[in-house]
Short mmCIF file of all heavy atoms in Angstrom, two decimals:
data_model
loop_
_atom_site.label_atom_id
_atom_site.label_comp_id
_atom_site.label_asym_id
_atom_site.label_seq_id
_atom_site.Cartn_x
_atom_site.Cartn_y
_atom_site.Cartn_z
N MET A 1 0.85 -1.19 0.00
CA MET A 1 0.00 0.00 0.00
C MET A 1 0.89 1.24 0.00
O MET A 1 1.82 1.35 0.78
CB MET A 1 -0.90 -0.01 1.23
CG MET A 1 -1.87 1.13 1.27
SD MET A 1 -2.99 0.89 2.66
CE MET A 1 -3.18 2.57 3.15
N GLN A 2 0.56 2.17 -0.88
CA GLN A 2 1.36 3.39 -0.99
C GLN A 2 0.88 4.43 0.02
O GLN A 2 -0.32 4.59 0.25
CB GLN A 2 1.23 3.95 -2.41
CG GLN A 2 2.13 5.11 -2.68
CD GLN A 2 1.99 5.59 -4.13
OE1 GLN A 2 1.08 5.19 -4.84
NE2 GLN A 2 2.89 6.43 -4.54
N ALA A 3 1.82 5.13 0.64
CA ALA A 3 1.48 6.16 1.61
C ALA A 3 0.81 7.33 0.90
O ALA A 3 1.04 7.59 -0.28
CB ALA A 3 2.73 6.64 2.33
N GLU A 4 -0.04 8.04 1.64
CA GLU A 4 -0.71 9.20 1.07
C GLU A 4 0.31 10.30 0.78
O GLU A 4 1.19 10.57 1.59
CB GLU A 4 -1.75 9.75 2.06
CG GLU A 4 -2.90 8.81 2.31
CD GLU A 4 -3.87 9.36 3.32
OE1 GLU A 4 -3.43 9.90 4.35
OE2 GLU A 4 -5.08 9.23 3.09
N LYS A 5 0.18 10.93 -0.37
CA LYS A 5 1.07 12.02 -0.74
C LYS A 5 0.44 13.33 -0.27
O LYS A 5 -0.75 13.57 -0.47
CB LYS A 5 1.29 12.05 -2.26
CG LYS A 5 2.32 13.07 -2.69
CD LYS A 5 2.67 12.91 -4.14
CE LYS A 5 3.80 13.86 -4.50
NZ LYS A 5 4.29 13.63 -5.86
N THR A 6 1.25 14.16 0.37
CA THR A 6 0.76 15.45 0.88
C THR A 6 1.49 16.59 0.18
O THR A 6 2.46 16.38 -0.55
CB THR A 6 0.99 15.57 2.40
OG1 THR A 6 2.40 15.65 2.64
CG2 THR A 6 0.39 14.41 3.16
N VAL A 7 1.05 17.80 0.43
CA VAL A 7 1.70 18.98 -0.13
C VAL A 7 3.15 19.04 0.35
O VAL A 7 4.04 19.45 -0.40
CB VAL A 7 0.92 20.26 0.24
CG1 VAL A 7 1.70 21.50 -0.14
CG2 VAL A 7 -0.45 20.27 -0.44
N ALA A 8 3.42 18.60 1.56
CA ALA A 8 4.78 18.61 2.10
C ALA A 8 5.71 17.67 1.32
O ALA A 8 6.93 17.84 1.37
CB ALA A 8 4.77 18.24 3.57
N ASP A 9 5.15 16.71 0.59
CA ASP A 9 5.95 15.76 -0.18
C ASP A 9 6.29 16.25 -1.59
O ASP A 9 7.11 15.65 -2.27
CB ASP A 9 5.20 14.42 -0.32
CG ASP A 9 4.95 13.77 1.03
OD1 ASP A 9 5.81 13.88 1.92
OD2 ASP A 9 3.87 13.15 1.18
N LEU A 10 5.65 17.33 -2.03
CA LEU A 10 5.89 17.84 -3.38
C LEU A 10 7.30 18.42 -3.51
O LEU A 10 7.88 18.91 -2.54
CB LEU A 10 4.88 18.94 -3.72
CG LEU A 10 3.42 18.54 -3.87
CD1 LEU A 10 2.56 19.78 -4.10
CD2 LEU A 10 3.23 17.55 -5.00
N LYS A 11 7.81 18.37 -4.72
CA LYS A 11 9.08 19.03 -5.06
C LYS A 11 8.72 20.38 -5.68
O LYS A 11 7.60 20.58 -6.17
CB LYS A 11 9.86 18.20 -6.08
CG LYS A 11 10.09 16.76 -5.67
CD LYS A 11 11.32 16.64 -4.82
CE LYS A 11 11.68 15.19 -4.59
NZ LYS A 11 11.23 14.64 -3.35
N ILE A 12 9.66 21.32 -5.67
CA ILE A 12 9.40 22.64 -6.23
C ILE A 12 8.96 22.50 -7.69
O ILE A 12 9.59 21.79 -8.48
CB ILE A 12 10.65 23.53 -6.12
CG1 ILE A 12 10.94 23.79 -4.64
CG2 ILE A 12 10.46 24.85 -6.86
CD1 ILE A 12 12.22 24.53 -4.37
N GLY A 13 7.85 23.15 -8.02
CA GLY A 13 7.30 23.10 -9.37
C GLY A 13 6.26 22.02 -9.58
O GLY A 13 5.52 22.06 -10.57
N GLU A 14 6.17 21.05 -8.68
CA GLU A 14 5.18 19.98 -8.82
C GLU A 14 3.79 20.48 -8.44
O GLU A 14 3.64 21.41 -7.64
CB GLU A 14 5.52 18.79 -7.92
CG GLU A 14 6.57 17.88 -8.47
CD GLU A 14 6.70 16.61 -7.64
OE1 GLU A 14 6.71 16.70 -6.40
OE2 GLU A 14 6.81 15.55 -8.25
N LYS A 15 2.78 19.82 -9.01
CA LYS A 15 1.39 20.17 -8.74
C LYS A 15 0.64 18.95 -8.25
O LYS A 15 1.07 17.81 -8.47
CB LYS A 15 0.72 20.70 -10.01
CG LYS A 15 1.33 21.98 -10.52
CD LYS A 15 0.63 22.45 -11.77
CE LYS A 15 1.30 23.73 -12.25
NZ LYS A 15 0.61 24.28 -13.41
N GLY A 16 -0.47 19.21 -7.61
CA GLY A 16 -1.35 18.14 -7.16
C GLY A 16 -2.75 18.67 -6.99
O GLY A 16 -2.97 19.88 -7.02
N ILE A 17 -3.69 17.77 -6.79
CA ILE A 17 -5.09 18.13 -6.56
C ILE A 17 -5.42 17.75 -5.12
O ILE A 17 -5.17 16.63 -4.68
CB ILE A 17 -6.03 17.36 -7.52
CG1 ILE A 17 -5.64 17.61 -8.97
CG2 ILE A 17 -7.48 17.73 -7.26
CD1 ILE A 17 -5.86 19.02 -9.46
N ILE A 18 -5.99 18.70 -4.39
CA ILE A 18 -6.34 18.46 -2.98
C ILE A 18 -7.45 17.42 -2.91
O ILE A 18 -8.47 17.55 -3.58
CB ILE A 18 -6.76 19.77 -2.29
CG1 ILE A 18 -5.61 20.76 -2.28
CG2 ILE A 18 -7.25 19.47 -0.86
CD1 ILE A 18 -5.97 22.15 -1.76
N ASN A 19 -7.25 16.40 -2.07
CA ASN A 19 -8.24 15.35 -1.88
C ASN A 19 -8.99 15.55 -0.56
O ASN A 19 -10.20 15.69 -0.55
CB ASN A 19 -7.57 13.97 -1.92
CG ASN A 19 -8.57 12.84 -1.93
OD1 ASN A 19 -9.71 13.03 -2.29
ND2 ASN A 19 -8.14 11.67 -1.54
N HIS A 20 -8.23 15.54 0.54
CA HIS A 20 -8.84 15.73 1.86
C HIS A 20 -7.76 16.20 2.84
O HIS A 20 -6.61 16.40 2.46
CB HIS A 20 -9.52 14.45 2.35
CG HIS A 20 -8.59 13.31 2.60
ND1 HIS A 20 -8.14 12.48 1.60
CD2 HIS A 20 -8.00 12.87 3.74
CE1 HIS A 20 -7.33 11.57 2.11
NE2 HIS A 20 -7.23 11.79 3.42
N PHE A 21 -8.14 16.33 4.11
CA PHE A 21 -7.22 16.82 5.15
C PHE A 21 -7.10 15.77 6.24
O PHE A 21 -8.05 15.07 6.56
CB PHE A 21 -7.73 18.13 5.74
CG PHE A 21 -7.98 19.19 4.71
CD1 PHE A 21 -9.25 19.42 4.22
CD2 PHE A 21 -6.93 19.95 4.21
CE1 PHE A 21 -9.48 20.39 3.25
CE2 PHE A 21 -7.14 20.92 3.24
CZ PHE A 21 -8.42 21.13 2.77
N LYS A 22 -5.92 15.69 6.84
CA LYS A 22 -5.68 14.74 7.93
C LYS A 22 -6.14 15.27 9.28
O LYS A 22 -6.47 14.49 10.16
CB LYS A 22 -4.18 14.42 8.03
CG LYS A 22 -3.63 13.62 6.89
CD LYS A 22 -2.17 13.32 7.14
CE LYS A 22 -1.55 12.52 6.02
NZ LYS A 22 -0.13 12.23 6.29
N ASP A 23 -6.15 16.58 9.46
CA ASP A 23 -6.43 17.20 10.75
C ASP A 23 -7.69 18.05 10.65
O ASP A 23 -7.72 19.04 9.92
CB ASP A 23 -5.22 18.06 11.15
CG ASP A 23 -5.36 18.73 12.50
OD1 ASP A 23 -6.49 18.86 12.99
OD2 ASP A 23 -4.34 19.13 13.06
N ASP A 24 -8.74 17.67 11.39
CA ASP A 24 -10.00 18.39 11.31
C ASP A 24 -9.89 19.84 11.76
O ASP A 24 -10.47 20.73 11.14
CB ASP A 24 -11.08 17.69 12.14
CG ASP A 24 -11.53 16.37 11.51
OD1 ASP A 24 -11.38 16.22 10.28
OD2 ASP A 24 -12.02 15.51 12.25
N ALA A 25 -9.14 20.09 12.83
CA ALA A 25 -9.00 21.46 13.33
C ALA A 25 -8.25 22.33 12.31
O ALA A 25 -8.63 23.47 12.06
CB ALA A 25 -8.28 21.46 14.67
N MET A 26 -7.21 21.79 11.73
CA MET A 26 -6.42 22.53 10.74
C MET A 26 -7.19 22.69 9.44
O MET A 26 -7.03 23.69 8.74
CB MET A 26 -5.10 21.80 10.48
CG MET A 26 -4.18 22.48 9.50
SD MET A 26 -3.62 24.11 10.01
CE MET A 26 -2.71 23.69 11.46
N SER A 27 -8.06 21.74 9.12
CA SER A 27 -8.78 21.80 7.85
C SER A 27 -9.66 23.03 7.74
O SER A 27 -9.76 23.63 6.67
CB SER A 27 -9.61 20.54 7.63
OG SER A 27 -10.67 20.46 8.53
N LEU A 28 -10.27 23.46 8.83
CA LEU A 28 -11.11 24.66 8.80
C LEU A 28 -10.28 25.88 8.42
O LEU A 28 -10.69 26.67 7.56
CB LEU A 28 -11.80 24.87 10.14
CG LEU A 28 -12.71 26.09 10.23
CD1 LEU A 28 -13.82 26.00 9.18
CD2 LEU A 28 -13.29 26.23 11.61
N LYS A 29 -9.11 26.02 9.01
CA LYS A 29 -8.22 27.13 8.68
C LYS A 29 -7.81 27.09 7.21
O LYS A 29 -7.83 28.10 6.52
CB LYS A 29 -6.98 27.07 9.59
CG LYS A 29 -5.94 28.11 9.31
CD LYS A 29 -4.73 27.93 10.23
CE LYS A 29 -3.61 28.85 9.85
NZ LYS A 29 -2.42 28.65 10.66
N LEU A 30 -7.46 25.90 6.74
CA LEU A 30 -7.02 25.75 5.34
C LEU A 30 -8.17 26.01 4.37
O LEU A 30 -7.97 26.63 3.32
CB LEU A 30 -6.43 24.35 5.13
CG LEU A 30 -5.12 24.10 5.87
CD1 LEU A 30 -4.79 22.62 5.86
CD2 LEU A 30 -3.99 24.92 5.27
N LEU A 31 -9.37 25.55 4.70
CA LEU A 31 -10.54 25.81 3.86
C LEU A 31 -10.80 27.31 3.74
O LEU A 31 -11.11 27.82 2.66
CB LEU A 31 -11.77 25.09 4.41
CG LEU A 31 -11.79 23.57 4.26
CD1 LEU A 31 -12.88 22.96 5.11
CD2 LEU A 31 -11.96 23.19 2.80
N GLU A 32 -10.67 28.02 4.85
CA GLU A 32 -10.88 29.47 4.85
C GLU A 32 -9.84 30.19 3.99
O GLU A 32 -10.10 31.28 3.49
CB GLU A 32 -10.85 30.02 6.27
CG GLU A 32 -12.06 29.62 7.08
CD GLU A 32 -11.96 30.00 8.54
OE1 GLU A 32 -10.85 30.34 9.02
OE2 GLU A 32 -13.01 29.94 9.23
N MET A 33 -8.66 29.58 3.82
CA MET A 33 -7.60 30.18 3.00
C MET A 33 -7.68 29.74 1.54
O MET A 33 -6.80 30.06 0.75
CB MET A 33 -6.23 29.83 3.59
CG MET A 33 -5.96 30.50 4.92
SD MET A 33 -4.26 30.32 5.49
CE MET A 33 -4.21 28.60 5.93
N GLY A 34 -8.73 29.00 1.17
CA GLY A 34 -8.92 28.62 -0.22
C GLY A 34 -8.43 27.26 -0.61
O GLY A 34 -8.46 26.90 -1.78
N CYS A 35 -7.97 26.47 0.34
CA CYS A 35 -7.50 25.11 0.06
C CYS A 35 -8.71 24.17 0.08
O CYS A 35 -8.96 23.47 1.05
CB CYS A 35 -6.47 24.67 1.09
SG CYS A 35 -4.95 25.61 1.05
N LEU A 36 -9.44 24.18 -1.02
CA LEU A 36 -10.66 23.39 -1.12
C LEU A 36 -10.39 22.07 -1.84
O LEU A 36 -9.54 22.02 -2.73
CB LEU A 36 -11.73 24.18 -1.89
CG LEU A 36 -12.07 25.55 -1.33
CD1 LEU A 36 -12.96 26.31 -2.31
CD2 LEU A 36 -12.73 25.43 0.02
N PRO A 37 -11.13 21.02 -1.48
CA PRO A 37 -10.97 19.75 -2.21
C PRO A 37 -11.20 19.95 -3.71
O PRO A 37 -12.00 20.80 -4.12
CB PRO A 37 -12.06 18.87 -1.59
CG PRO A 37 -12.21 19.41 -0.21
CD PRO A 37 -12.05 20.90 -0.35
N ASP A 38 -10.46 19.20 -4.51
CA ASP A 38 -10.50 19.26 -5.97
C ASP A 38 -9.90 20.53 -6.55
O ASP A 38 -10.11 20.85 -7.71
CB ASP A 38 -11.92 19.05 -6.52
CG ASP A 38 -12.46 17.67 -6.18
OD1 ASP A 38 -11.67 16.70 -6.26
OD2 ASP A 38 -13.64 17.56 -5.83
N THR A 39 -9.14 21.28 -5.74
CA THR A 39 -8.44 22.48 -6.20
C THR A 39 -6.97 22.12 -6.45
O THR A 39 -6.36 21.40 -5.67
CB THR A 39 -8.51 23.60 -5.13
OG1 THR A 39 -9.88 23.88 -4.86
CG2 THR A 39 -7.82 24.86 -5.61
N GLU A 40 -6.43 22.63 -7.56
CA GLU A 40 -5.02 22.38 -7.87
C GLU A 40 -4.13 23.24 -6.98
O GLU A 40 -4.42 24.40 -6.72
CB GLU A 40 -4.74 22.71 -9.34
CG GLU A 40 -3.31 22.38 -9.75
CD GLU A 40 -3.05 22.66 -11.21
OE1 GLU A 40 -2.78 23.83 -11.53
OE2 GLU A 40 -3.13 21.71 -12.01
N VAL A 41 -3.05 22.64 -6.53
CA VAL A 41 -2.06 23.33 -5.70
C VAL A 41 -0.68 23.04 -6.28
O VAL A 41 -0.43 21.94 -6.76
CB VAL A 41 -2.16 22.88 -4.22
CG1 VAL A 41 -1.93 21.41 -4.06
CG2 VAL A 41 -1.22 23.65 -3.34
N SER A 42 0.19 24.06 -6.28
CA SER A 42 1.56 23.84 -6.76
C SER A 42 2.54 24.38 -5.73
O SER A 42 2.26 25.38 -5.07
CB SER A 42 1.78 24.50 -8.12
OG SER A 42 1.68 25.89 -8.02
N LEU A 43 3.65 23.71 -5.60
CA LEU A 43 4.69 24.12 -4.65
C LEU A 43 5.63 25.10 -5.33
O LEU A 43 6.23 24.78 -6.35
CB LEU A 43 5.46 22.91 -4.13
CG LEU A 43 6.47 23.22 -3.03
CD1 LEU A 43 5.75 23.65 -1.76
CD2 LEU A 43 7.34 22.02 -2.74
N ASP A 44 5.74 26.30 -4.79
CA ASP A 44 6.55 27.37 -5.38
C ASP A 44 7.95 27.44 -4.78
O ASP A 44 8.92 27.66 -5.48
CB ASP A 44 5.87 28.72 -5.20
CG ASP A 44 4.54 28.79 -5.91
OD1 ASP A 44 4.37 28.12 -6.94
OD2 ASP A 44 3.65 29.50 -5.41
N PHE A 45 8.05 27.31 -3.45
CA PHE A 45 9.36 27.39 -2.81
C PHE A 45 9.36 26.65 -1.48
O PHE A 45 8.31 26.40 -0.90
CB PHE A 45 9.79 28.85 -2.59
CG PHE A 45 9.03 29.57 -1.51
CD1 PHE A 45 9.41 29.49 -0.18
CD2 PHE A 45 7.93 30.35 -1.82
CE1 PHE A 45 8.71 30.16 0.81
CE2 PHE A 45 7.23 31.03 -0.84
CZ PHE A 45 7.62 30.94 0.49
N ILE A 46 10.56 26.32 -1.05
CA ILE A 46 10.79 25.76 0.28
C ILE A 46 11.90 26.61 0.89
O ILE A 46 12.95 26.79 0.28
CB ILE A 46 11.24 24.29 0.21
CG1 ILE A 46 10.18 23.44 -0.49
CG2 ILE A 46 11.52 23.74 1.61
CD1 ILE A 46 10.62 22.01 -0.79
N ALA A 47 11.67 27.15 2.07
CA ALA A 47 12.67 27.97 2.73
C ALA A 47 13.94 27.15 2.99
O ALA A 47 13.88 25.91 3.07
CB ALA A 47 12.12 28.53 4.04
N PRO A 48 15.09 27.80 3.13
CA PRO A 48 16.36 27.08 3.30
C PRO A 48 16.36 26.04 4.42
O PRO A 48 17.00 25.00 4.29
CB PRO A 48 17.36 28.20 3.58
CG PRO A 48 16.79 29.38 2.87
CD PRO A 48 15.30 29.25 3.03
N LEU A 49 15.67 26.29 5.50
CA LEU A 49 15.64 25.33 6.60
C LEU A 49 14.43 24.39 6.51
O LEU A 49 14.16 23.65 7.45
CB LEU A 49 15.66 26.05 7.94
CG LEU A 49 16.93 26.86 8.22
CD1 LEU A 49 16.83 27.59 9.56
CD2 LEU A 49 18.16 25.98 8.19
N GLY A 50 13.69 24.46 5.39
CA GLY A 50 12.57 23.54 5.18
C GLY A 50 11.21 24.06 5.60
O GLY A 50 10.20 23.44 5.33
N CYS A 51 11.16 25.19 6.27
CA CYS A 51 9.91 25.74 6.74
C CYS A 51 10.01 27.26 6.73
O CYS A 51 11.01 27.79 7.24
CB CYS A 51 9.61 25.22 8.14
SG CYS A 51 7.99 25.63 8.77
N PRO A 52 9.10 27.98 6.15
CA PRO A 52 7.83 27.57 5.57
C PRO A 52 7.99 27.09 4.12
O PRO A 52 9.07 27.18 3.55
CB PRO A 52 7.00 28.86 5.60
CG PRO A 52 8.01 29.94 5.41
CD PRO A 52 9.24 29.45 6.15
N VAL A 53 6.85 26.64 3.59
CA VAL A 53 6.79 26.30 2.17
C VAL A 53 5.78 27.26 1.54
O VAL A 53 4.84 27.70 2.19
CB VAL A 53 6.36 24.83 1.94
CG1 VAL A 53 7.38 23.89 2.54
CG2 VAL A 53 4.98 24.54 2.49
N GLY A 54 6.01 27.58 0.28
CA GLY A 54 5.11 28.49 -0.44
C GLY A 54 4.36 27.73 -1.51
O GLY A 54 4.96 26.99 -2.29
N ILE A 55 3.05 27.90 -1.52
CA ILE A 55 2.22 27.23 -2.52
C ILE A 55 1.38 28.26 -3.27
O ILE A 55 1.18 29.37 -2.78
CB ILE A 55 1.30 26.16 -1.89
CG1 ILE A 55 0.30 26.79 -0.90
CG2 ILE A 55 2.12 25.08 -1.20
CD1 ILE A 55 -0.77 25.83 -0.41
N THR A 56 0.91 27.86 -4.43
CA THR A 56 -0.10 28.63 -5.15
C THR A 56 -1.36 27.79 -5.16
O THR A 56 -1.33 26.61 -5.54
CB THR A 56 0.34 28.92 -6.60
OG1 THR A 56 1.53 29.71 -6.57
CG2 THR A 56 -0.75 29.68 -7.35
N VAL A 57 -2.45 28.39 -4.70
CA VAL A 57 -3.73 27.72 -4.67
C VAL A 57 -4.81 28.76 -4.96
O VAL A 57 -4.73 29.89 -4.48
CB VAL A 57 -3.98 27.02 -3.31
CG1 VAL A 57 -4.02 27.99 -2.16
CG2 VAL A 57 -5.24 26.17 -3.34
N ALA A 58 -5.75 28.40 -5.78
CA ALA A 58 -6.88 29.28 -6.13
C ALA A 58 -6.40 30.63 -6.65
O ALA A 58 -7.01 31.66 -6.40
CB ALA A 58 -7.81 29.45 -4.94
N GLY A 59 -5.26 30.65 -7.35
CA GLY A 59 -4.77 31.88 -7.97
C GLY A 59 -3.99 32.82 -7.08
O GLY A 59 -3.67 33.93 -7.49
N TYR A 60 -3.66 32.42 -5.86
CA TYR A 60 -2.84 33.29 -5.03
C TYR A 60 -1.78 32.48 -4.29
O TYR A 60 -1.84 31.27 -4.21
CB TYR A 60 -3.69 34.10 -4.05
CG TYR A 60 -4.39 33.30 -2.98
CD1 TYR A 60 -3.82 33.13 -1.73
CD2 TYR A 60 -5.63 32.72 -3.21
CE1 TYR A 60 -4.45 32.41 -0.76
CE2 TYR A 60 -6.27 31.99 -2.24
CZ TYR A 60 -5.67 31.84 -1.00
OH TYR A 60 -6.31 31.11 -0.04
N HIS A 61 -0.79 33.19 -3.76
CA HIS A 61 0.33 32.56 -3.06
C HIS A 61 0.03 32.48 -1.57
O HIS A 61 -0.53 33.40 -0.99
CB HIS A 61 1.61 33.36 -3.28
CG HIS A 61 1.98 33.48 -4.72
ND1 HIS A 61 2.52 32.42 -5.43
CD2 HIS A 61 1.87 34.49 -5.59
CE1 HIS A 61 2.72 32.80 -6.66
NE2 HIS A 61 2.34 34.06 -6.80
N LEU A 62 0.46 31.39 -0.98
CA LEU A 62 0.20 31.12 0.43
C LEU A 62 1.43 30.47 1.03
O LEU A 62 2.02 29.58 0.42
CB LEU A 62 -1.01 30.19 0.53
CG LEU A 62 -1.52 29.77 1.88
CD1 LEU A 62 -2.03 30.98 2.66
CD2 LEU A 62 -2.65 28.77 1.71
N SER A 63 1.84 30.92 2.20
CA SER A 63 2.96 30.30 2.92
C SER A 63 2.39 29.49 4.08
O SER A 63 1.54 29.97 4.82
CB SER A 63 3.92 31.36 3.47
OG SER A 63 4.58 31.98 2.41
N LEU A 64 2.88 28.26 4.21
CA LEU A 64 2.43 27.36 5.27
C LEU A 64 3.62 26.77 5.99
O LEU A 64 4.69 26.59 5.41
CB LEU A 64 1.64 26.19 4.66
CG LEU A 64 0.39 26.47 3.88
CD1 LEU A 64 -0.11 25.19 3.23
CD2 LEU A 64 -0.68 27.04 4.79
N ARG A 65 3.42 26.44 7.26
CA ARG A 65 4.43 25.66 7.96
C ARG A 65 4.43 24.26 7.35
O ARG A 65 3.42 23.79 6.83
CB ARG A 65 4.07 25.56 9.45
CG ARG A 65 4.16 26.87 10.18
CD ARG A 65 3.73 26.68 11.63
NE ARG A 65 3.79 27.92 12.34
CZ ARG A 65 2.74 28.75 12.49
NH1 ARG A 65 1.56 28.42 11.98
NH2 ARG A 65 2.87 29.88 13.15
N LYS A 66 5.56 23.61 7.43
CA LYS A 66 5.67 22.26 6.84
C LYS A 66 4.65 21.31 7.48
O LYS A 66 4.06 20.49 6.79
CB LYS A 66 7.09 21.73 7.03
CG LYS A 66 7.31 20.42 6.33
CD LYS A 66 8.49 20.47 5.45
CE LYS A 66 8.64 19.16 4.73
NZ LYS A 66 9.64 19.21 3.72
N ARG A 67 4.43 21.42 8.77
CA ARG A 67 3.48 20.53 9.43
C ARG A 67 2.04 20.81 8.98
O ARG A 67 1.21 19.91 8.94
CB ARG A 67 3.59 20.59 10.95
CG ARG A 67 3.26 21.93 11.58
CD ARG A 67 3.47 21.86 13.11
NE ARG A 67 3.54 23.17 13.68
CZ ARG A 67 2.48 23.89 14.03
NH1 ARG A 67 1.27 23.41 13.84
NH2 ARG A 67 2.63 25.09 14.54
N GLU A 68 1.73 22.07 8.61
CA GLU A 68 0.41 22.38 8.06
C GLU A 68 0.27 21.79 6.66
O GLU A 68 -0.76 21.20 6.33
CB GLU A 68 0.20 23.90 7.99
CG GLU A 68 0.13 24.57 9.35
CD GLU A 68 0.16 26.08 9.28
OE1 GLU A 68 0.67 26.63 8.28
OE2 GLU A 68 -0.34 26.70 10.24
N ALA A 69 1.33 21.92 5.85
CA ALA A 69 1.31 21.36 4.49
C ALA A 69 1.17 19.84 4.54
O ALA A 69 0.57 19.25 3.62
CB ALA A 69 2.59 21.77 3.75
N ALA A 70 1.67 19.22 5.57
CA ALA A 70 1.62 17.76 5.68
C ALA A 70 0.20 17.26 5.99
O ALA A 70 -0.07 16.06 5.89
CB ALA A 70 2.58 17.27 6.75
N THR A 71 -0.71 18.15 6.33
CA THR A 71 -2.11 17.74 6.60
C THR A 71 -2.96 17.79 5.34
O THR A 71 -4.10 17.32 5.37
CB THR A 71 -2.76 18.62 7.69
OG1 THR A 71 -2.93 19.95 7.20
CG2 THR A 71 -1.94 18.62 8.96
N ILE A 72 -2.45 18.32 4.23
CA ILE A 72 -3.20 18.41 2.98
C ILE A 72 -2.84 17.20 2.11
O ILE A 72 -1.74 17.11 1.58
CB ILE A 72 -2.89 19.70 2.22
CG1 ILE A 72 -3.13 20.93 3.10
CG2 ILE A 72 -3.71 19.77 0.94
CD1 ILE A 72 -2.64 22.24 2.49
N VAL A 73 -3.78 16.27 2.01
CA VAL A 73 -3.57 15.02 1.25
C VAL A 73 -3.99 15.25 -0.20
O VAL A 73 -5.05 15.83 -0.47
CB VAL A 73 -4.37 13.86 1.86
CG1 VAL A 73 -4.16 12.58 1.07
CG2 VAL A 73 -3.98 13.66 3.32
N LEU A 74 -3.15 14.79 -1.12
CA LEU A 74 -3.39 14.97 -2.55
C LEU A 74 -3.92 13.69 -3.18
O LEU A 74 -3.70 12.60 -2.67
CB LEU A 74 -2.09 15.39 -3.24
CG LEU A 74 -1.43 16.65 -2.70
CD1 LEU A 74 -0.08 16.84 -3.35
CD2 LEU A 74 -2.31 17.86 -2.90
N LYS A 75 -4.59 13.85 -4.33
CA LYS A 75 -5.06 12.70 -5.11
C LYS A 75 -3.93 12.07 -5.85
O LYS A 75 -2.99 12.71 -6.20
CB LYS A 75 -6.14 13.14 -6.11
CG LYS A 75 -7.41 13.57 -5.43
CD LYS A 75 -8.44 13.91 -6.47
CE LYS A 75 -9.72 14.35 -5.77
NZ LYS A 75 -10.77 14.71 -6.70
#
């Protein structure tokens, strides 16, 4: 069985489609920021120490902590 791929697993320039969230409390925050299921997300940058990561979702740029990005499961 293959492990679920999350936004934190993407390489710079890679894209994915949001499937669901691992953390219910965090999911509300992410939904409010436009991270909706079936929305394309792409990884723009990773800070030198690995946190934060920058993504593009719903036409705008968003910075997330790596642990927040790890709660966004991709299809």
Side-chain angles (χ1 to χ4, degrees):
M1 184 173 143
Q2 187 178 12
E4 294 178 317
K5 186 170 185 173
T6 68
V7 171
D9 298 324
L10 293 175
K11 306 275 189 262
I12 294 174
E14 280 189 316
K15 296 180 181 184
I17 304 293
I18 298 173
N19 189 21
H20 65 277
F21 305 98
K22 291 183 180 180
D23 182 340
D24 289 336
M26 181 62 64
S27 68
L28 180 59
K29 177 182 173 184
L30 293 167
L31 288 167
E32 290 172 346
M33 291 190 289
C35 295
L36 304 171
D38 297 319
T39 302
E40 184 178 82
V41 60
S42 65
L43 186 67
D44 298 329
F45 71 86
I46 301 171
L49 297 178
C51 188
V53 298
I55 62 171
T56 298
V57 63
Y60 67 95
H61 301 285
L62 181 63
S63 292
L64 299 172
R65 292 178 181 94
K66 186 127 182 171
R67 64 182 164 84
E68 294 170 336
T71 67
I72 305 171
V73 179
L74 304 173
K75 292 183 181 179

